[in-house]
Amino acid sequence: MEEAVYDKIARQYRRSKQLPFRIWVERYTLLRLCGKIEGLSVLDLACGEGTYTRLLQSHGATLTHGIDVSGEMIALAQAMEVAYPLGCHYAIEDVGKLQKLGDYDLALGIFLLNYARSAEELLRFVRAAFVNLRPGGRFIGLNDNPMQRLFDDERYRKYGLLRTGQRRLREGNPIHYTLLCEDEAFGFDNYYLAPSTYENAFREAGFVDFRWQGPFLDPAVTQQAFWMTFMSFPPIIGFSARKPATP
């Protein structure tokens, strides 16, 4: 992962968490995948500025530990913890080189895996989650949707994003996201890997019950018709997997 890129856009990225799709789809999907959070220990891999680390802590997690390769992102997360303390812990770490930190109930990978440019790099990310889970622990997250080939479509603009990529993607090809936050726009690259590459990585790392899930639209949304394109051609998707309870 390229820490320098996110050092430069850390504040814009934090601001983008207020975009409607991030609240009504992304956040809701995450909470739905988590299920009961109270009492869980959570490792947030590539936590960014800590938005979802704090969210799970506020929903009753007993321990939340967020790590990210970007020093600026971690600085923002730590500043928020100082200003509004919840008990979250943060550290600068590269997930691709991560060693065992503990035995967590839940590992999060919120837009982590889609930064892998190869099957080998993806496997390193997935193994980092596996080694840090207790037996029976779960790995859940959100990802660029590798099944969705709708690119350069202006219909996404009303949701606050644009998604650009080649029509015929090959392993490692970039998928560019532009997030549109009122008076400013900023972008970053994800990378395409085939659905089968994800499935193989989870299986090789030792996970079971890997599945793509969602995304889900919060039923509290009043303008359901507005979200028709996003939900019919979702650019993002959730996933979940479990570490076997016994070796």
Side-chain angles (χ1 to χ4, degrees):
M1 296 174 67
E2 299 177 1
E3 61 270 26
V5 172
Y6 282 86
D7 284 345
K8 293 177 181 178
I9 64 170
R11 294 183 184 277
Q12 292 100 316
Y13 196 82
R14 178 175 63 180
R15 186 180 178 192
S16 79
K17 293 293 178 63
Q18 301 307 311
L19 287 169
F21 85 88
R22 308 204 78 164
I23 295 172
W24 300 113
V25 180
E26 183 177 301
R27 172 178 166 144
Y28 179 74
T29 298
L30 169 61
L31 291 175
R32 183 162 165 174
L33 292 178
C34 284
K36 183 180 178 181
I37 300 169
E38 187 175 359
L40 298 183
S41 57
V42 179
L43 176 61
D44 190 355
L45 301 167
C47 67
E49 81 302 336
T51 294
Y52 294 129
T53 321
R54 294 179 62 80
L55 177 66
L56 268 59
Q57 184 79 21
S58 69
H59 276 69
T62 55
L63 171 68
T64 52
H65 186 179
I67 65 167
D68 199 279
V69 72
S70 167
E72 185 61 28
M73 287 286 199
I74 291 297
L76 290 175
Q78 290 172 332
M80 182 63 74
E81 179 63 26
V82 170
Y84 305 99
L86 290 177
C88 302
H89 303 276
Y90 300 101
I92 300 172
E93 295 274 6
D94 184 342
V95 177
K97 301 175 182 177
L98 189 66
Q99 302 299 311
K100 186 175 178 65
L101 299 177
D103 293 303
Y104 295 85
D105 298 307
L106 186 67
L108 299 185
I110 309 301
F111 302 115
L112 161 67
L113 303 183
N114 43 226
Y115 289 107
R117 304 188 191 200
S118 66
E120 294 76 17
E121 187 173 19
L122 176 64
L123 181 58
R124 289 199 296 272
F125 291 168
V126 177
R127 279 177 170 162
F130 187 88
V131 74
N132 280 289
L133 285 169
R134 65 164 177 78
R138 293 186 301 137
F139 181 26
I140 67 170
L142 296 166
N143 209 73
D144 174 75
N145 185 352
M147 284 78 75
Q148 183 51 257
R149 300 300 184 91
L150 185 63
F151 296 116
D152 306 316
D153 196 301
E154 283 291 319
R155 288 178 294 177
Y156 284 140
R157 183 180 291 275
K158 65 182 179 181
Y159 306 114
L161 78 152
L162 297 172
R163 183 172 181 259
T164 304
Q166 299 177 36
R167 300 280 176 183
R168 296 184 178 181
L169 289 169
R170 296 183 179 181
E171 298 272 286
N173 283 169
I175 296 172
H176 189 75
Y177 274 83
T178 302
L179 298 187
L180 311 169
C181 301
E182 296 180 355
D183 59 340
E184 66 178 347
F186 68 98
F188 48 87
D189 287 334
N190 287 179
Y191 297 91
Y192 173 77
L193 295 174
S196 59
T197 303
Y198 283 92
E199 294 160 12
N200 291 339
F202 275 82
R203 182 170 56 251
E204 188 171 347
F207 282 104
V208 295
D209 298 334
F210 170 75
R211 63 189 69 184
W212 298 108
Q213 293 189 264
F216 306 108
L217 178 64
D218 192 331
V221 169
T222 55
Q223 296 179 323
Q224 296 280 326
F226 173 80
W227 294 94
M228 184 175 298
T229 297
F230 195 100
M231 301 307 295
S232 298
F233 306 98
I236 64 173
I237 194 168
F239 68 83
S240 65
R242 180 173 54 84
K243 184 173 182 175
T246 56

